[in-house]
Amino acid sequence: MRLAADDVTRSLRASWRLLSADAKALPDLDLSRDGFWRSYLALVLTVPAIIPVLAAERVLAGLPNTGRLFDAPLLLASVIAAQLLAVITVPALLVLLVPGLRQSPRFTGFIIAWNWASILSAGLIAVPAAVFALGWSHGGIAVIQALAFGTIILRLRYCVARATFGAESRIAGAIACASLLADYAIIRTFGLAGF
């Protein structure tokens, strides 16, 4: 199983369209069994977003970003773990709370759309992290920027849930709130700033 550039482009474009509450973008994702597994493989595309987030966290920890960016293994492990948990926590909670949901085609579509949207989310949060790590903003402005980009991410997650579970369902709002609480818990657990 491999990712073709066409698949990546089409899926990221569909995820972006979902942000504008365009449920018609959902069929642009590969909703097959192979598409399900490829969506997990696609999470490798979040790796570049780790670098600006790590750099921002290093600045906040008082570590230099010159030379060796990866010389604080615990901080690196915390950033990677937090990013992975941000992707899997909400789907895992859904499976735990509603075990029968795993058999639903809507849930499969949700996972596929969620994974692709997670790539956009990682890229979005990397923007304020990079601006802060480069010294182009100070702590207060960085918080405002992170909150602004976080709001976009929250909307993306809401739109993914709404497109997959239906506009009439109240589950989209619950999923968006759960993702916000889960992100906050993950950030606090790892002692990160939240980039």
Side-chain angles (χ1 to χ4, degrees):
M1 178 180 340
R2 65 181 189 82
L3 282 173
D6 295 354
D7 293 334
V8 172
T9 304
R10 181 178 33 79
S11 298
L12 289 176
R13 188 178 314 123
S15 296
W16 188 256
R17 284 180 48 212
L18 284 172
L19 179 60
S20 65
D22 184 3
K24 294 176 187 167
L26 195 58
D28 289 347
L29 297 169
D30 181 357
L31 300 175
S32 68
R33 177 182 290 263
D34 285 342
F36 177 82
W37 293 112
R38 267 196 296 274
S39 74
Y40 280 102
L41 183 62
L43 292 174
V44 171
L45 298 172
T46 65
V47 171
I50 290 173
I51 294 170
V53 171
L54 176 61
E57 294 292 345
R58 286 179 60 89
V59 168
L60 290 169
L63 299 170
N65 279 327
T66 56
R68 296 165 29 147
L69 186 62
F70 305 107
D71 66 354
L74 270 114
L75 184 59
L76 176 62
S78 293
V79 169
I80 292 170
Q83 189 156 337
L84 286 174
L85 284 173
V87 174
I88 65 170
T89 300
V90 169
L93 281 173
L94 283 173
V95 168
L96 288 173
L97 294 174
V98 189
L101 192 60
R102 287 187 312 186
Q103 309 306 324
S104 168
R106 285 184 178 216
F107 183 69
T108 303
F110 170 75
I111 294 295
I112 293 166
W114 184 267
N115 288 346
W116 282 104
S118 294
I119 297 166
L120 288 181
S121 298
L124 285 167
I125 207 62
V127 172
V131 169
F132 178 73
L134 291 169
W136 295 345
S137 70
H138 59 78
I141 298 213
V143 168
I144 293 169
Q145 291 170 336
L147 287 173
F149 279 87
T151 303
I152 296 168
I153 292 167
L154 189 62
R155 174 163 171 77
L156 175 60
R157 290 174 177 176
Y158 171 80
C159 290
V160 164
R162 189 168 187 255
T164 54
F165 291 113
E168 70 285 348
S169 172
R170 293 187 179 162
I171 196 168
I175 287 173
C177 290
S179 74
L180 182 65
L181 293 173
D183 285 351
Y184 180 77
I186 291 165
I187 289 165
R188 292 289 106 203
T189 299
F190 289 101
L192 300 173
F195 285 106

